[in-house]
Amino acid sequence: MKVLVPIKRVVDFNVKIRVKPDQTGVDLANVKMSMNPFDEIAIEEAIRLKEKGSATEIIAVSIGPQEAQETIRTALAMGADRGILVKAGQDVEPLAVAKILAAIAKIENPSLIILGKQAIDDDSNQTGQMLAALLGWAQGTFASKVVIADGKAEVTREVDGGLQTVRLTLPAIVTTDLRLNEPRYASLPNIMKAKKKPIDMKAPEDYGVDATPRLKVLKVTEPPKRKAGVKVKSVQELVDKLKNEAGVI
């Protein structure tokens, strides 16, 4: 079984985001970049499927600038077999990403595409669902457990009321949630081996996709700073403030 894992290069989750002075976007100068955390979980799950014998090949795909090659190398060091980098601008919208991935899927013919439920930079949570619609495949989103057997994928997914388990017929799309697994760290020997693993360089035009953005960012601003709290001397004073000042009761 071949598994395709899309990954995205984003600002590291430990970095405090800075907005550009002209409010046109996020300042990326000298900022640490890394793999989207949800995509790390997807790579880890694909590797675990391979270790169990359910998967035979893992292909990591990234769509973005040349620097995204480093992100693919990280996936290769974790255990992916080969990579595909589709060179495009920094901002590729979910629909364009889904169209490129759909074209790659038709060429590679994977049985499973597993990706993060969302990227932490734009929080769109759209690519997996759009991809499933374009391919006409079954989908299991927000997965906290994945079991592959007999040409089926049993996906336990997190919903508002608790957990829901769905059985998908392969080929299928699975998007990962935080509680699916704990990604491994790449060992030094595997990092060295990853340098020799192949990465194919492509462009959106190679797949007949126009990646020109359809949305225009008007302004990016930081959230307002939280005001300092006040101490109250009694429950009665607290209730009074909640009722008359905060207006919440």
Side-chain angles (χ1 to χ4, degrees), residues 91-141:
D91 299 318
V92 184
E93 294 173 358
L95 180 58
V97 172
K99 287 180 178 179
I100 293 171
L101 294 176
I104 293 174
K106 290 174 183 177
I107 295 171
E108 296 290 346
N109 196 29
S111 297
L112 180 67
I113 300 177
I114 182 166
L115 66 160
K117 69 173 185 177
Q118 65 193 75
I120 62 172
D121 54 358
D122 57 18
D123 282 328
S124 291
N125 184 16
Q126 296 174 342
T127 302
Q129 293 89 327
M130 288 178 171
L131 180 58
L134 290 171
L135 291 173
W137 291 6
Q139 61 176 307
T141 56

Side-chain angles (χ1 to χ4, degrees), residues 189-202:
N190 286 339
I191 292 173
M192 300 305 293
K193 290 177 184 178
K195 294 181 179 180
K196 298 181 180 180
K197 292 183 179 180
I199 297 179
D200 294 333
M201 299 294 180
K202 299 290 185 179

Side-chain angles (χ1 to χ4, degrees), residues 4-13 34-47 61 71 75 78 113-129 140-144 146 158 174-184:
L4 191 70
V5 186
I7 57 178
K8 187 176 184 181
R9 178 177 182 265
V10 299
V11 176
D12 189 88
F13 71 94
S34 61
M35 189 189 304
N36 178 48
F38 290 104
D39 297 338
E40 275 191 301
I41 294 170
I43 284 286
E44 174 65 27
E45 192 64 22
I47 295 168
V61 181
T71 308
M78 289 175 67
I113 300 177
I114 182 166
L115 66 160
K117 69 173 185 177
Q118 65 193 75
I120 62 172
D121 54 358
D122 57 18
D123 282 328
S124 291
N125 184 16
Q126 296 174 342
T127 302
Q129 293 89 327
T141 56
F142 318 136
S144 60
V146 178
E158 300 189 352
V174 174
T175 70
T176 63
D177 214 331
L178 285 173
R179 279 157 288 281
L180 180 58
N181 60 52
E182 184 72 29
R184 69 192 65 190

Side-chain angles (χ1 to χ4, degrees), residues 78-92:
M78 289 175 67
D81 297 293
R82 59 187 174 96
I84 300 173
L85 172 60
V86 183
K87 293 177 65 176
Q90 285 283 358
D91 299 318
V92 184

